[in-house]
Amino acid sequence: MLSIITLGDPLLAKTSSLVPDFDDGIRRLAAQMFEAMGTKGVGLAAVQVGAAVRLFITKAPRDVPRVFINPDILVTSLEEEPLEEGCLSVPGLYTEVVRPASVRVQAWNEKGRPFTLTAEGILARVIQHELDHLNGVLFIDRLDAKKRKRLLVSYDEKMRF
Ligand code: NI
């Protein structure tokens, strides 16, 4: 089973590179990521299991499992909304983040087929959170500096014990 890296690992700040081929290795990686995520999360980026390539998976409530390879957000709504986010790489820390309420994304699936998808609600949120991972950005980086610092102090205290 692949293990998930956590805050402090420098790989989380790295920009992931494009997936060059839709081969068996990529399909295996996606399958192993679903296994690593289990029922603990609603999304996971490849970099979180140590593979800094532009691939993430989602399994939002009441949605099918999805694989996004080399994704791009084409359009974001002007409307923004606060939603609570967490991250398997920052265990135990949950906080509201404000982001666009809906997005239109283009990507390739694990079979190498291109698709576009308009998402709202939790799926839109997961897509934006995971795409951030591919650019080395964590959800806590989206907070204002003061709130981020306060949360990180309590996170550090919790992780120490
Ligand atoms: Ni995350």
Side-chain angles (χ1 to χ4, degrees), residues 25-128:
I26 275 298
R27 280 184 280 278
R28 200 175 316 122
L29 174 62
Q32 288 174 333
M33 284 168 61
F34 278 109
E35 198 180 279
M37 181 170 75
T39 54
K40 300 187 298 281
V42 289
L44 188 68
V47 67
Q48 292 179 273
V49 294
V53 291
R54 302 189 80 77
L55 183 160
F56 67 78
I57 61 167
T58 65
K59 178 64 188 83
R62 293 178 302 280
D63 189 34
V64 294
R66 298 180 188 274
V67 178
F68 296 77
I69 299 171
N70 298 341
D72 269 312
I73 288 180
L74 304 175
V75 185
T76 58
S77 61
L78 289 175
E79 188 203 345
E80 297 190 319
E81 66 183 4
L83 266 184
E84 190 177 73
E85 293 187 30
C87 181
L88 292 173
S89 292
V90 195
L93 196 158
Y94 299 90
T95 188
E96 269 191 357
V97 184
V98 177
R99 296 188 197 255
S102 69
V103 295
R104 183 157 182 79
V105 62
Q106 168 193 288
W108 282 260
N109 69 14
E110 72 282 12
K111 292 171 190 127
R113 292 203 189 100
F115 64 93
T116 58
L117 174 73
T118 300
E120 55 184 27
I122 296 176
L123 183 59
R125 181 53 58 118
V126 178
I127 288 169
Q128 292 174 85

